[in-house]
Amino acid sequence: MEIMEKVLNGRKKDLTFLPFSSILYVDRERERNHTMKNILILDTETALNIQQPLIYDLGFVALVNGEVVKENYLIKEVFDTYALMQSAYYVKKRPKYYKLRNDGHIKPISFQKAIRQLMKFIKKNKIEVISAYNVSFDIRAIENTLRILDTELYEKGTFQKLVKQKNKKILCLWNLACDNILNTDEFREFADTHNMKTPKGNYQTNAEVAYAFITNQPEFKEEHLALSDSEIELAILLKILELENPKIEFGKKASCWRKVQVKKT
C-alpha cells in the first residue's frame, strides 16, 4: 500500500556466453578502435506510463574484457503489487515471470538492492559505455523508480552522478541502428517486403525490427523481457561494430525513427 501511495503522490555474475555466440564474437581490437571497451546494455520493463515508468523487470548484458556477463532482477515492490502490474503494457506476461522465478532464472529483489548492485557492477568492472536501445527511456525509468522506491539515493543523485562521470559515455542503440543499418535501401526493401510499417506508413525502427533485419528473420518477435531484450540489443551493437566505418554518436537521442523515413516529394 505504501508504494501505491507514493505513486499516487507524484547473484553472482553469470559468465555464460549467450546462445547466439556466433553473433556475439568480440573483437577486442575493434572495440578499442571504436573507443568502447567495457560496455553495459540494459533494458527495463515498466508499469505506469511512458512519462513516469516504474520498473518491475531490470536486466542487463555487459562486455567486460571480452566476456559476456548478464544479470536480471524482478523488482518485488512493483511486481508483487497487483494494482501497479495491471498498468503494465505487458501485464499478460506475468505467468512467464512466475516460471522464470520458480526456475531460478530471475532474482526477486527489492529495487534498493537491485540499483545498488547495478551501480556496484558498473564501478567494479570499469564500465565505460552505458547503453540501451532507447537509452533515454530506460534512464528515465531508473530515475523515476528511484524517486518512488529509493528516495534517499534519488535525492543524493548518486545514479545520475555515476552515469555523468567523464569516463562514462551514454549510447543510444536506436540512434546507432538508424544511422548505420536502418537508414539504407536494403532495410527499406526488407521492411516493404515484410510489412514492417506503422499504421501511418512509417518504417518501424524498434529493436525487434532491427534484429529481424540483421538476422534475416522477418518473423522474429521480441520477448519483451528485460534480459532477453538486452541480449538482442547486444547482437545489434556487435553487428554494427562489424561495419567498416560505423557512425557512432554518444548521448541521449530522440525521434531517431525520422532518419529512416523517405522524404515525400
Side-chain angles (χ1 to χ4, degrees):
M1 183 59 68
E2 182 182 357
I3 180 176
M4 286 301 297
E5 291 175 356
K6 288 185 178 181
V7 170
L8 294 174
N9 292 333
R11 100 199 157 171
K12 294 181 181 179
K13 295 188 293 182
D14 182 354
L15 296 177
T16 304
F17 278 88
L18 304 178
F20 35 87
S21 56
S22 59
I23 298 174
L24 298 181
Y25 170 73
V26 180
D27 183 333
R28 297 184 188 181
E29 184 61 35
R30 186 182 66 214
E31 283 189 23
R32 284 194 290 271
N33 290 341
H34 292 296
T35 66
M36 286 190 281
K37 204 171 183 181
N38 290 346
I39 309 167
L40 182 139
I41 299 176
L42 60 85
D43 188 77
T44 62
E45 298 300 331
T46 63
L48 291 184
N49 54 54
I50 293 177
Q51 289 71 36
Q52 294 186 318
L54 194 63
I55 299 169
Y56 62 85
D57 180 10
L58 172 62
F60 70 80
V61 294
L63 291 179
V64 180
N65 300 319
E67 300 263 11
V68 177
V69 185
K70 54 186 178 179
E71 188 59 274
N72 199 189
Y73 305 114
L74 185 65
I75 307 305
K76 294 191 297 185
E77 303 98 310
V78 182
F79 187 79
D80 292 340
T81 303
Y82 180 82
L84 282 176
M85 286 303 296
Q86 288 304 107
S87 69
Y89 189 80
Y90 296 110
V91 63
K92 292 182 179 180
K93 291 187 177 289
R94 285 190 69 162
K96 176 73 172 178
Y97 284 103
Y98 290 135
K99 186 175 189 312
L100 288 171
R101 182 178 64 185
N102 294 340
D103 292 345
H105 295 310
I106 189 170
K107 287 182 180 178
I109 191 173
S110 70
F111 183 73
Q112 289 188 352
K113 289 184 178 179
I115 192 63
R116 282 163 173 77
Q117 288 186 21
L118 174 62
M119 291 191 297
K120 181 179 179 180
F121 180 89
I122 291 171
K123 293 175 184 177
K124 180 179 178 180
N125 293 284
K126 299 180 180 179
I127 296 296
E128 298 174 357
V129 178
I130 299 170
S131 182
Y133 199 78
N134 184 356
V135 73
S136 295
F137 173 81
D138 290 295
I139 288 180
R140 181 165 73 251
I142 290 174
E143 291 177 348
N144 189 62
T145 309
L146 275 169
R147 180 181 65 83
I148 295 173
L149 298 181
D150 197 337
T151 306
E152 179 183 357
L153 208 63
Y154 176 77
E155 291 179 349
K156 289 181 178 178
T158 308
F159 177 78
Q160 295 90 328
K161 291 174 184 176
L162 176 63
V163 299
K164 290 179 180 179
Q165 288 177 352
K166 290 183 179 179
N167 63 342
K168 301 282 187 296
K169 294 180 180 179
I170 298 297
L171 179 65
C172 177
L173 293 178
W174 183 25
N175 185 66
L176 190 71
C178 287
D179 276 342
N180 290 282
I181 57 174
L182 302 184
N183 189 17
T184 63
D185 291 337
E186 183 182 3
F187 167 71
R188 282 184 280 267
E189 182 180 354
F190 180 84
D192 287 335
T193 301
H194 301 292
N195 193 30
M196 294 177 172
K197 288 188 174 182
T198 69
K200 291 185 177 181
N202 294 316
Y203 290 106
Q204 295 178 5
T205 58
N206 56 42
E208 178 178 287
V209 167
Y211 185 78
F213 174 58
I214 66 171
T215 59
N216 194 27
Q217 298 181 64
E219 302 304 318
F220 172 77
K221 296 298 179 184
E222 197 172 13
E223 285 196 84
H224 296 293
L225 304 173
L227 181 57
S228 61
D229 290 358
S230 297
E231 291 174 343
I232 71 165
E233 290 159 17
L234 176 57
I236 293 168
L237 171 63
L238 294 181
K239 185 68 175 180
I240 292 170
L241 291 182
E242 290 176 0
L243 300 176
E244 186 174 350
N245 291 300
K247 180 180 179 182
I248 301 174
E249 292 182 351
F250 293 102
K252 297 179 183 179
K253 305 293 180 181
S255 300
C256 306
W257 62 273
R258 295 181 183 277
K259 298 182 177 185
V260 181
Q261 312 312 314
V262 178
K263 294 181 180 179
K264 296 179 180 180
T265 57

